[in-house]
């Protein structure tokens, strides 16, 4: 199920924002915050659809998100990720 108002449920909501906007190896630590987040997919879709350039969003760095955007320019990432999330949920049943 897709969560429209995802930010209040985010694992990072109590994290200092500066911890998610780091460079280099520190990004791996920031990505750990996202690892068990219940709204990771929604967060990633937000970053991709709005082409947010900085920080770790949905467990992905700027570089990782740019690579996805290059592979599927013009994609509605919400649609892509929502379909994948729904398919995963159905497969788990």
């Amino acid at each position: 199920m897709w969560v429209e108002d995802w930010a209040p449920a985010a694992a990072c909501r109590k994290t200092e924002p500066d911890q998610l906007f780091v460079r280099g190896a520190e990004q791996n630590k920031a990505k750990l915050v996202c690892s068990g987040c219940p709204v990771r997919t929604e967060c990633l879709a937000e970053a991709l659809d709005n082409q947010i350039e900085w920080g770790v969003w949905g467990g992905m760095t700027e570089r990782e998100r740019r690579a996805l955007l290059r592979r599927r320019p013009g994609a509605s990432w919400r649609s892509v990720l929502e379909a994948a999330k729904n398919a995963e949920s159905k497969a788990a049943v």
Side-chain angles (χ1 to χ4, degrees):
M1 181 171 93
W2 196 261
V3 179
E4 294 293 332
D5 187 21
W6 58 268
C12 63
R13 73 186 174 280
K14 295 180 182 174
T15 304
E16 279 294 320
D18 290 345
Q19 292 178 358
L20 300 173
F21 295 88
V22 292
R23 297 193 179 271
E26 291 295 310
Q27 290 178 330
N28 291 326
K29 289 180 188 174
K31 288 168 62 170
L32 289 175
V33 173
C34 304
S35 64
C37 183
V39 292
R40 180 178 178 174
T41 307
E42 290 85 345
C43 176
L44 180 57
E46 175 88 12
L48 291 168
D49 282 338
N50 293 297
Q51 296 185 12
I52 297 173
E53 295 183 23
W54 306 106
V56 172
W57 290 74
M60 296 186 85
T61 65
E62 304 100 22
R63 180 177 283 178
E64 292 165 336
R65 292 194 309 274
R66 279 194 302 271
L68 281 180
L69 291 168
R70 278 193 302 272
R71 279 187 241 148
R72 294 186 75 169
S76 165
W77 287 97
R78 176 186 169 152
S79 296
V80 170
L81 295 173
E82 187 173 10
K85 188 173 185 177
N86 289 338
E88 183 179 308
S89 294
K90 289 177 184 175
V93 174

